[in-house]
mmCIF file with all atom_site columns, all heavy atoms in Angstrom:
data_model
loop_
_atom_site.group_PDB
_atom_site.id
_atom_site.type_symbol
_atom_site.label_atom_id
_atom_site.label_alt_id
_atom_site.label_comp_id
_atom_site.label_asym_id
_atom_site.label_entity_id
_atom_site.label_seq_id
_atom_site.pdbx_PDB_ins_code
_atom_site.Cartn_x
_atom_site.Cartn_y
_atom_site.Cartn_z
_atom_site.occupancy
_atom_site.B_iso_or_equiv
_atom_site.pdbx_formal_charge
_atom_site.auth_seq_id
_atom_site.auth_comp_id
_atom_site.auth_asym_id
_atom_site.auth_atom_id
_atom_site.pdbx_PDB_model_num
ATOM 1   N N   . PRO A 1 265 ? 53.947 75.229 89.044 1.00 0.00 ? 377 PRO A N   1
ATOM 2   C CA  . PRO A 1 265 ? 54.869 75.184 90.195 1.00 0.00 ? 377 PRO A CA  1
ATOM 3   C C   . PRO A 1 265 ? 56.011 74.190 90.013 1.00 0.00 ? 377 PRO A C   1
ATOM 4   O O   . PRO A 1 265 ? 57.140 74.461 90.430 1.00 0.00 ? 377 PRO A O   1
ATOM 5   C CB  . PRO A 1 265 ? 53.958 74.789 91.361 1.00 0.00 ? 377 PRO A CB  1
ATOM 6   C CG  . PRO A 1 265 ? 52.589 75.211 90.937 1.00 0.00 ? 377 PRO A CG  1
ATOM 7   C CD  . PRO A 1 265 ? 52.539 75.042 89.451 1.00 0.00 ? 377 PRO A CD  1
ATOM 8   N N   . GLU A 1 266 ? 55.729 73.036 89.391 1.00 0.00 ? 378 GLU A N   1
ATOM 9   C CA  . GLU A 1 266 ? 56.791 72.061 89.201 1.00 0.00 ? 378 GLU A CA  1
ATOM 10  C C   . GLU A 1 266 ? 57.885 72.598 88.291 1.00 0.00 ? 378 GLU A C   1
ATOM 11  O O   . GLU A 1 266 ? 59.080 72.406 88.537 1.00 0.00 ? 378 GLU A O   1
ATOM 12  C CB  . GLU A 1 266 ? 56.212 70.770 88.613 1.00 0.00 ? 378 GLU A CB  1
ATOM 13  C CG  . GLU A 1 266 ? 55.298 70.017 89.559 1.00 0.00 ? 378 GLU A CG  1
ATOM 14  C CD  . GLU A 1 266 ? 56.039 69.532 90.797 1.00 0.00 ? 378 GLU A CD  1
ATOM 15  O OE1 . GLU A 1 266 ? 57.219 69.141 90.653 1.00 0.00 ? 378 GLU A OE1 1
ATOM 16  O OE2 . GLU A 1 266 ? 55.463 69.562 91.899 1.00 0.00 ? 378 GLU A OE2 1
ATOM 17  N N   . ILE A 1 267 ? 57.466 73.256 87.209 1.00 0.00 ? 379 ILE A N   1
ATOM 18  C CA  . ILE A 1 267 ? 58.450 73.830 86.291 1.00 0.00 ? 379 ILE A CA  1
ATOM 19  C C   . ILE A 1 267 ? 59.204 74.968 86.967 1.00 0.00 ? 379 ILE A C   1
ATOM 20  O O   . ILE A 1 267 ? 60.430 75.091 86.863 1.00 0.00 ? 379 ILE A O   1
ATOM 21  C CB  . ILE A 1 267 ? 57.749 74.331 85.013 1.00 0.00 ? 379 ILE A CB  1
ATOM 22  C CG1 . ILE A 1 267 ? 57.101 73.149 84.281 1.00 0.00 ? 379 ILE A CG1 1
ATOM 23  C CG2 . ILE A 1 267 ? 58.728 75.057 84.111 1.00 0.00 ? 379 ILE A CG2 1
ATOM 24  C CD1 . ILE A 1 267 ? 56.326 73.547 83.044 1.00 0.00 ? 379 ILE A CD1 1
ATOM 25  N N   . MET A 1 268 ? 58.476 75.794 87.703 1.00 0.00 ? 380 MET A N   1
ATOM 26  C CA  . MET A 1 268 ? 59.111 76.921 88.370 1.00 0.00 ? 380 MET A CA  1
ATOM 27  C C   . MET A 1 268 ? 60.132 76.472 89.400 1.00 0.00 ? 380 MET A C   1
ATOM 28  O O   . MET A 1 268 ? 61.138 77.141 89.638 1.00 0.00 ? 380 MET A O   1
ATOM 29  C CB  . MET A 1 268 ? 58.039 77.790 89.042 1.00 0.00 ? 380 MET A CB  1
ATOM 30  C CG  . MET A 1 268 ? 57.061 78.441 88.076 1.00 0.00 ? 380 MET A CG  1
ATOM 31  S SD  . MET A 1 268 ? 57.865 79.593 86.946 1.00 0.00 ? 380 MET A SD  1
ATOM 32  C CE  . MET A 1 268 ? 58.429 80.808 88.101 1.00 0.00 ? 380 MET A CE  1
ATOM 33  N N   . ARG A 1 269 ? 59.857 75.324 90.023 1.00 0.00 ? 381 ARG A N   1
ATOM 34  C CA  . ARG A 1 269 ? 60.767 74.828 91.033 1.00 0.00 ? 381 ARG A CA  1
ATOM 35  C C   . ARG A 1 269 ? 62.129 74.465 90.425 1.00 0.00 ? 381 ARG A C   1
ATOM 36  O O   . ARG A 1 269 ? 63.161 74.561 91.065 1.00 0.00 ? 381 ARG A O   1
ATOM 37  C CB  . ARG A 1 269 ? 60.154 73.615 91.723 1.00 0.00 ? 381 ARG A CB  1
ATOM 38  C CG  . ARG A 1 269 ? 60.501 73.586 93.205 1.00 0.00 ? 381 ARG A CG  1
ATOM 39  C CD  . ARG A 1 269 ? 59.857 72.483 93.975 1.00 0.00 ? 381 ARG A CD  1
ATOM 40  N NE  . ARG A 1 269 ? 58.776 71.784 93.360 1.00 0.00 ? 381 ARG A NE  1
ATOM 41  C CZ  . ARG A 1 269 ? 57.469 71.972 93.646 1.00 0.00 ? 381 ARG A CZ  1
ATOM 42  N NH1 . ARG A 1 269 ? 57.132 72.921 94.495 1.00 0.00 ? 381 ARG A NH1 1
ATOM 43  N NH2 . ARG A 1 269 ? 56.532 71.246 93.075 1.00 0.00 ? 381 ARG A NH2 1
ATOM 44  N N   . GLU A 1 270 ? 62.127 74.009 89.191 1.00 0.00 ? 382 GLU A N   1
ATOM 45  C CA  . GLU A 1 270 ? 63.366 73.597 88.533 1.00 0.00 ? 382 GLU A CA  1
ATOM 46  C C   . GLU A 1 270 ? 64.057 74.751 87.808 1.00 0.00 ? 382 GLU A C   1
ATOM 47  O O   . GLU A 1 270 ? 65.229 74.662 87.469 1.00 0.00 ? 382 GLU A O   1
ATOM 48  C CB  . GLU A 1 270 ? 63.069 72.492 87.513 1.00 0.00 ? 382 GLU A CB  1
ATOM 49  C CG  . GLU A 1 270 ? 62.472 71.240 88.124 1.00 0.00 ? 382 GLU A CG  1
ATOM 50  C CD  . GLU A 1 270 ? 63.436 70.568 89.081 1.00 0.00 ? 382 GLU A CD  1
ATOM 51  O OE1 . GLU A 1 270 ? 64.666 70.634 88.835 1.00 0.00 ? 382 GLU A OE1 1
ATOM 52  O OE2 . GLU A 1 270 ? 62.974 69.983 90.080 1.00 0.00 ? 382 GLU A OE2 1
ATOM 53  N N   . LEU A 1 271 ? 63.298 75.798 87.559 1.00 0.00 ? 383 LEU A N   1
ATOM 54  C CA  . LEU A 1 271 ? 63.828 76.888 86.746 1.00 0.00 ? 383 LEU A CA  1
ATOM 55  C C   . LEU A 1 271 ? 64.466 77.943 87.635 1.00 0.00 ? 383 LEU A C   1
ATOM 56  O O   . LEU A 1 271 ? 63.800 78.561 88.467 1.00 0.00 ? 383 LEU A O   1
ATOM 57  C CB  . LEU A 1 271 ? 62.684 77.518 85.933 1.00 0.00 ? 383 LEU A CB  1
ATOM 58  C CG  . LEU A 1 271 ? 63.084 78.587 84.927 1.00 0.00 ? 383 LEU A CG  1
ATOM 59  C CD1 . LEU A 1 271 ? 63.999 78.028 83.862 1.00 0.00 ? 383 LEU A CD1 1
ATOM 60  C CD2 . LEU A 1 271 ? 61.829 79.191 84.306 1.00 0.00 ? 383 LEU A CD2 1
ATOM 61  N N   . ASN A 1 272 ? 65.769 78.116 87.494 1.00 0.00 ? 384 ASN A N   1
ATOM 62  C CA  . ASN A 1 272 ? 66.438 79.137 88.301 1.00 0.00 ? 384 ASN A CA  1
ATOM 63  C C   . ASN A 1 272 ? 67.224 80.134 87.464 1.00 0.00 ? 384 ASN A C   1
ATOM 64  O O   . ASN A 1 272 ? 67.759 81.102 87.995 1.00 0.00 ? 384 ASN A O   1
ATOM 65  C CB  . ASN A 1 272 ? 67.370 78.507 89.340 1.00 0.00 ? 384 ASN A CB  1
ATOM 66  C CG  . ASN A 1 272 ? 68.317 77.477 88.733 1.00 0.00 ? 384 ASN A CG  1
ATOM 67  O OD1 . ASN A 1 272 ? 68.791 77.673 87.627 1.00 0.00 ? 384 ASN A OD1 1
ATOM 68  N ND2 . ASN A 1 272 ? 68.565 76.399 89.439 1.00 0.00 ? 384 ASN A ND2 1
ATOM 69  N N   . GLN A 1 273 ? 67.296 79.894 86.157 1.00 0.00 ? 385 GLN A N   1
ATOM 70  C CA  . GLN A 1 273 ? 67.957 80.878 85.311 1.00 0.00 ? 385 GLN A CA  1
ATOM 71  C C   . GLN A 1 273 ? 67.536 80.681 83.861 1.00 0.00 ? 385 GLN A C   1
ATOM 72  O O   . GLN A 1 273 ? 67.077 79.613 83.478 1.00 0.00 ? 385 GLN A O   1
ATOM 73  C CB  . GLN A 1 273 ? 69.483 80.793 85.425 1.00 0.00 ? 385 GLN A CB  1
ATOM 74  C CG  . GLN A 1 273 ? 70.062 79.479 84.919 1.00 0.00 ? 385 GLN A CG  1
ATOM 75  C CD  . GLN A 1 273 ? 71.574 79.418 85.103 1.00 0.00 ? 385 GLN A CD  1
ATOM 76  O OE1 . GLN A 1 273 ? 72.145 80.120 85.927 1.00 0.00 ? 385 GLN A OE1 1
ATOM 77  N NE2 . GLN A 1 273 ? 72.224 78.583 84.320 1.00 0.00 ? 385 GLN A NE2 1
ATOM 78  N N   . ILE A 1 274 ? 67.672 81.738 83.093 1.00 0.00 ? 386 ILE A N   1
ATOM 79  C CA  . ILE A 1 274 ? 67.398 81.689 81.655 1.00 0.00 ? 386 ILE A CA  1
ATOM 80  C C   . ILE A 1 274 ? 68.673 82.112 80.940 1.00 0.00 ? 386 ILE A C   1
ATOM 81  O O   . ILE A 1 274 ? 69.229 83.173 81.211 1.00 0.00 ? 386 ILE A O   1
ATOM 82  C CB  . ILE A 1 274 ? 66.244 82.623 81.263 1.00 0.00 ? 386 ILE A CB  1
ATOM 83  C CG1 . ILE A 1 274 ? 64.935 82.157 81.897 1.00 0.00 ? 386 ILE A CG1 1
ATOM 84  C CG2 . ILE A 1 274 ? 66.095 82.693 79.742 1.00 0.00 ? 386 ILE A CG2 1
ATOM 85  C CD1 . ILE A 1 274 ? 63.768 83.083 81.610 1.00 0.00 ? 386 ILE A CD1 1
ATOM 86  N N   . SER A 1 275 ? 69.136 81.263 80.047 1.00 0.00 ? 387 SER A N   1
ATOM 87  C CA  . SER A 1 275 ? 70.357 81.570 79.306 1.00 0.00 ? 387 SER A CA  1
ATOM 88  C C   . SER A 1 275 ? 70.037 82.430 78.087 1.00 0.00 ? 387 SER A C   1
ATOM 89  O O   . SER A 1 275 ? 69.085 82.152 77.351 1.00 0.00 ? 387 SER A O   1
ATOM 90  C CB  . SER A 1 275 ? 71.052 80.281 78.868 1.00 0.00 ? 387 SER A CB  1
ATOM 91  O OG  . SER A 1 275 ? 72.173 80.576 78.056 1.00 0.00 ? 387 SER A OG  1
ATOM 92  N N   . LEU A 1 276 ? 70.812 83.457 77.914 1.00 0.00 ? 388 LEU A N   1
ATOM 93  C CA  . LEU A 1 276 ? 70.691 84.320 76.749 1.00 0.00 ? 388 LEU A CA  1
ATOM 94  C C   . LEU A 1 276 ? 71.581 83.842 75.597 1.00 0.00 ? 388 LEU A C   1
ATOM 95  O O   . LEU A 1 276 ? 71.721 84.525 74.588 1.00 0.00 ? 388 LEU A O   1
ATOM 96  C CB  . LEU A 1 276 ? 71.073 85.752 77.112 1.00 0.00 ? 388 LEU A CB  1
ATOM 97  C CG  . LEU A 1 276 ? 70.202 86.414 78.190 1.00 0.00 ? 388 LEU A CG  1
ATOM 98  C CD1 . LEU A 1 276 ? 70.770 87.773 78.547 1.00 0.00 ? 388 LEU A CD1 1
ATOM 99  C CD2 . LEU A 1 276 ? 68.761 86.529 77.729 1.00 0.00 ? 388 LEU A CD2 1
ATOM 100 N N   . GLY A 1 277 ? 72.175 82.678 75.766 1.00 0.00 ? 389 GLY A N   1
ATOM 101 C CA  . GLY A 1 277 ? 73.044 82.145 74.730 1.00 0.00 ? 389 GLY A CA  1
ATOM 102 C C   . GLY A 1 277 ? 74.476 82.599 74.910 1.00 0.00 ? 389 GLY A C   1
ATOM 103 O O   . GLY A 1 277 ? 74.921 82.911 76.018 1.00 0.00 ? 389 GLY A O   1
#
Side-chain angles (χ1 to χ4, degrees):
E378 292 297 323
I379 297 177
M380 296 297 295
R381 216 176 346 258
E382 299 296 327
L383 186 62
N384 50 38
Q385 64 182 22
I386 295 177
S387 175
L388 299 175

